[in-house]
Amino acid sequence: MRPQTAQKIAGALLWAAALLTVVTLVVILGYIFMNGMHKITWEFLTTEPESMGAKGGIYSTIISTVIFTFVTLLIAVPVGIAAAIYLTEYTKRSWATKIIRFGTEALAGIPSIVFGLFGFAFFVILLKPITGGWSLASGSLTGACMILPTLIRTTEEAIKAVPNSYREGSYALGATKWQTVSRIVIPTALPAILTGIILGIGRIVGETAALLLTLGGSLYIPTKLTDPASTMSMHLYKVAMEVGAMDMAFGTAAVLIITVFFINMSANWIMHLMRKKTTA
Amino acid sequence: MKKEQREKYYKLMLLASAMVALVVIVLIGGFIFKEGMPVFAKYGLGNVFWGRKWQPSSQIYGLWPMVVGTVYITLGSLVIGVPLGVLTAIFLAELAPKKLVSLVIRPAIELLAGIPSVVYGLFGMTTIVPVIRKIARSIPAYADEPTLSSGYGIIAGSIILSIMILPTVINVAEDAIRSVPREYKEGSLALGATHWQTIYRVIVPAASSGIMAGVVLGMGRAIGETMAIIMVAGNAPIVPESIFSSVRSLTGNIAIEMAYSSGEHTQALFATGIILFVFIMIINSLAMFLAKKEVG
C-alpha cells in the first residue's frame, strides 16, 4: 500500500473512532431521555415514593441525595484541603510524603464496593453506638473516604498553580508560613479548588455500591445523622432490579443525568472564568 | 498562644489531615483481611480460590466462578474499549481540530465519565440485553438453557464496561501521546515520513508505556465496577461455558449477597473482598509503575 493511501485510511479510522465515542454518548443520553423525560413532571419531583418506589415520585430521594452530599463534603473537604496544603507547602520530598502520596494514590484505585465492605465493618458495625448502624453518618463517612483522593489531587494542582512570587511577596512583608498559606495561597487557588469539589459532588451523586452497604436505603428523609437514607442512584437500582418499575427507573435516570450535566457545566464554567482572569 | 507555637500547631493539624488517606487505606486493608481471613483459614486458601461451587447455604464457598467471571468480562471490555479508546486518544492528540475537541469531544468524554454506573446498567439491561437474548434464542443449542439465553451475561457486561472505561483509557493515553517530545515528530516528518507513519512508528511506540498505563487503569476500573455489572451480567455463580453465559463478578457477589448474609457467609463475602483488593493493588501498582516510566 502506498504511504499516502495508508495515511488516508488511518485518518478515516481515527475520525471514525472519535465519532463512535461521541455517538455512543448521544445514543445513551437519547435513549434515557426518550424513555425518562416524560416522567419528569413537577409531581414526580415533589411527591414521595409509594409502594417501594413503584408509584409516586422521587422527592425524598432527591432531598436525601442533597443532604448526603452536603454531609459528605462537610467531612471530606476540610481534610482534603488540609492534606493538600501539607503535601504541597509544608514538606520537601521525604520518605514520609512518599508513603502518604502512595496511600492517596492507592486509595483512588480502590473499588467502591470495597469501600462499602470497609464502611460496613467499621462505621456500621464497630461504630454503631455513634453512627447508629446503617445511617447517614455511616454512608457519609464512607463517601468522604472515597472522594478524599480526588479532592487532595485537585487541590494540590490548584495550589501548585499559584505563582511563587505571591508567596515571596507575602514573606517579604513579614507574614508567617500559615498566614501566607491561609491568606494568599488558598484564596488564590480557591476557584480551582472549587472545581475539584464540584467534580467530587459528581462522584458522590453517582455512587451506589458503597452506599448499598452503609446508607441503609430508607425512603424517608433523614432528620438526624443516625437515620438511614436512600439516594437517587440507590433508588434507581432498587426500582429497576427489585421493584421492576422501569418507567420510574428511567425518570430517575434522566434526573440523574441532568444533575451530572449541570455539575460538569458549572465546573467548566468556573475553570473558564479562571482562565479569563489569569490571561486578562 | 505565641506565634511560633501557633505555626507548629497548624503544621501538626495539616500533617494529621495528610495522614488520613493513609490511615484509611490501612484500615480498609485491615478490616477486610480481619473479617475475611477466617474463611480462608478454615477452608484453605486454595479451596476457596479455586473452589468451583458457591453455595453459602451449605457452607460451600468457592470463588472460582466469580474470579473467572470477572476476568472474562474485563478482558471482553478491553477487547472493545482499548482499540476505540486509544484510537480516539490519537485522534485527539494528533488530528482533531481544536474547536471540535473543546466544544464536542472533551465535554462528551467528561459526561461519559460522569454518568452514574446505575444509569449505564439501566441502559444495558433495556437495550443490549434484549438484543443478545434474541441472538442467543436463535442458536438452537442455547435456546433452552436459561443461563445461556437470557441475554444477561459476559457479552452484555463487556459491552457496557467497554463504554465505561473509555474516559480513563482516552484521558491517560492522550496525555501520554501529548507528552512525546516535539523533536521526535519533527525528526520523523523531516525524514519524509507521512503523518500516519510518524504516529504509528514514532509517537505511539514512544508513548507506549503511558498508553499501557491507561489500559491497565481501565482494567482496574473494569474489575472494580459493580452496579452496571450486576444489572447486565445475570449473576449466576457458575463457571461460564460460553460468552453467552450468565456470570457473576467478584464485586457483584459482594453487592448482591451482603444484604441478607450473616455469620460465616458474610465472612466469605469479605474473603471475596480480599481477592478483589489484592487484584486491584497489583493492577494499580503496575499502572503507577508504567506511568512513571520515562518516555522512550
Side-chain angles (χ1 to χ4, degrees):
Chain A
M1 202 183 334
R2 283 170 58 230
Q4 284 77 6
T5 325
Q7 159 102 359
K8 272 197 189 128
I9 295 173
L13 196 67
L14 293 177
W15 271 95
L19 199 67
L20 187 57
T21 302
V22 176
V23 167
T24 305
L25 174 75
V26 172
V27 168
I28 294 175
L29 295 186
Y31 182 78
I32 298 285
F33 282 138
M34 233 169 58
N35 288 286
M37 238 10 208
H38 67 274
K39 265 316 254 192
I40 305 180
T41 56
W42 185 247
E43 210 194 329
F44 182 69
L45 298 175
T46 57
T47 53
E48 298 280 346
E50 283 165 43
S51 41
M52 298 284 292
K55 293 198 194 95
I58 55 166
Y59 178 69
S60 62
T61 67
I62 296 176
I63 302 300
S64 297
T65 305
V66 174
I67 297 174
F68 167 70
T69 306
F70 181 74
V71 176
T72 305
L73 289 180
L74 215 58
I75 304 166
V77 169
V79 178
I81 293 181
I85 294 174
Y86 184 80
L87 288 171
T88 47
E89 298 283 320
Y90 278 82
T91 53
K92 296 185 189 71
R93 279 169 191 236
S94 68
W95 61 270
T97 30
K98 259 191 193 155
I99 293 179
I100 292 175
R101 220 174 274 280
F102 174 80
T104 314
E105 276 183 50
L107 199 62
I110 299 289
S112 73
I113 191 75
V114 173
F115 276 102
L117 279 177
F118 158 69
F120 171 77
F122 189 44
F123 301 127
V124 176
I125 302 294
L126 193 70
L127 296 182
K128 190 174 178 179
I130 306 164
T131 59
W134 284 284
S135 67
L136 183 58
S138 300
S140 296
L141 284 164
T142 310
C145 296
M146 295 181 68
I147 61 163
L148 200 54
T150 323
L151 283 176
I152 294 176
R153 201 179 307 148
T154 48
T155 309
E156 271 190 87
E157 300 286 321
I159 291 175
K160 276 184 200 153
V162 175
N164 245 332
S165 54
Y166 285 35
R167 297 183 184 84
E168 285 154 8
S170 169
Y171 289 135
L173 291 170
T176 62
K177 180 131 200 163
W178 174 251
Q179 283 171 333
T180 306
V181 167
S182 62
R183 307 233 180 114
I184 306 293
V185 177
I186 295 302
T188 314
L190 204 57
I193 296 175
L194 205 59
T195 313
I197 295 174
I198 292 173
L199 292 176
I201 296 177
R203 178 133 193 233
I204 301 172
V205 169
E207 182 46 46
T208 313
L211 302 185
L212 283 178
L213 273 53
T214 53
L215 194 59
S218 138
L219 281 175
Y220 296 103
I221 296 169
T223 53
K224 49 187 186 302
L225 284 171
T226 50
D227 280 348
S230 182
T231 64
M232 285 190 279
S233 302
M234 283 168 80
H235 187 62
L236 162 49
Y237 171 71
K238 292 217 165 126
V239 290
M241 294 291 283
E242 286 164 22
V243 184
M246 298 314 268
D247 59 326
M248 302 301 282
F250 277 113
T252 315
V255 175
L256 267 174
I257 289 182
I258 293 170
T259 311
V260 170
F261 187 71
F262 274 110
I263 288 170
N264 282 5
M265 288 268 284
S266 43
N268 284 337
W269 181 66
I270 292 174
M271 277 207 281
H272 180 73
L273 281 187
M274 247 170 24
R275 227 167 272 150
K276 241 178 160 175
K277 218 171 119 193
T278 45
T279 49
Chain B
M1 209 168 7
K2 272 213 197 103
K3 221 184 202 174
E4 293 84 52
Q5 262 182 320
R6 215 163 39 204
E7 288 287 317
K8 261 199 194 134
Y9 167 73
Y10 287 134
K11 189 176 173 184
L12 214 65
M13 197 187 69
L14 295 174
L15 173 66
S17 301
M19 297 290 286
V20 169
L22 190 63
V23 171
V24 168
I25 191 110
V26 171
L27 281 178
I28 289 177
F31 269 97
I32 289 167
F33 276 87
K34 179 180 147 270
E35 299 286 324
M37 270 330 235
V39 168
F40 286 136
K42 187 170 167 191
Y43 298 98
L45 178 67
N47 291 335
V48 176
F49 187 79
W50 278 290
R52 294 174 69 90
K53 227 177 187 178
W54 174 262
Q55 255 167 22
S57 51
S58 35
Q59 274 100 47
I60 302 173
Y61 305 109
L63 289 175
W64 190 242
M66 278 63 88
V67 173
V68 176
T70 299
V71 170
Y72 280 3
I73 296 179
T74 302
L75 288 181
S77 73
L78 293 180
V79 168
I80 312 167
V82 167
L84 186 58
V86 172
L87 287 175
T88 305
I90 296 173
F91 177 80
L92 287 173
E94 288 292 320
L95 221 63
K98 262 199 183 127
K99 268 257 153 64
L100 184 73
V101 174
S102 65
L103 288 179
V104 180
I105 303 180
R106 189 94 53 210
I109 294 169
E110 269 171 29
L111 206 52
L112 270 180
I115 294 177
S117 62
V118 279
V119 175
Y120 280 108
L122 180 67
F123 173 78
M125 67 191 280
T126 52
T127 55
I128 299 169
V129 170
V131 172
I132 295 169
R133 184 185 304 139
K134 223 175 190 171
I135 298 170
R137 292 217 170 129
S138 69
I139 302 172
Y142 291 174
D144 297 327
E145 296 279 335
T147 56
L148 290 170
S149 63
S150 68
Y152 295 94
I154 296 176
I155 306 177
S158 297
I159 294 174
I160 281 298
L161 269 188
S162 69
I163 304 170
M164 296 181 72
I165 64 170
L166 269 183
T168 311
V169 176
I170 293 173
N171 288 334
V172 180
E174 190 197 344
D175 279 345
I177 294 166
R178 280 191 193 278
S179 66
V180 173
R182 265 184 82 89
E183 293 82 31
Y184 286 33
K185 190 177 168 183
E186 285 164 0
S188 167
L189 291 174
L191 288 170
T194 63
H195 191 187
W196 172 244
Q197 285 171 329
T198 307
I199 288 173
Y200 88 101
R201 294 260 175 86
V202 178
I203 297 178
V204 169
S208 63
S209 69
I211 295 175
M212 272 313 289
V215 173
V216 174
L217 279 175
M219 197 158 112
R221 215 182 145 197
I223 291 178
E225 176 50 41
T226 311
M227 302 315 294
I229 290 297
I230 302 179
M231 293 168 85
V232 301
N235 306 318
I238 47 169
V239 178
E241 43 190 300
S242 146
I243 54 168
F244 284 95
S245 280
S246 166
V247 284
R248 182 183 287 193
S249 66
L250 288 163
T251 53
N253 197 37
I254 302 169
I256 293 163
E257 300 197 352
M258 206 61 194
Y260 59 83
S261 71
S262 63
E264 200 172 70
H265 185 186
T266 305
Q267 291 181 333
L269 297 178
F270 273 94
T272 315
I274 296 179
I275 307 278
L276 194 60
F277 187 80
V278 172
F279 274 16
I280 289 288
M281 285 312 240
I282 293 172
I283 284 174
N284 286 343
S285 311
L286 184 64
M288 273 188 223
F289 168 76
L290 285 168
K292 270 167 197 151
K293 247 168 88 173
E294 298 244 327
V295 170

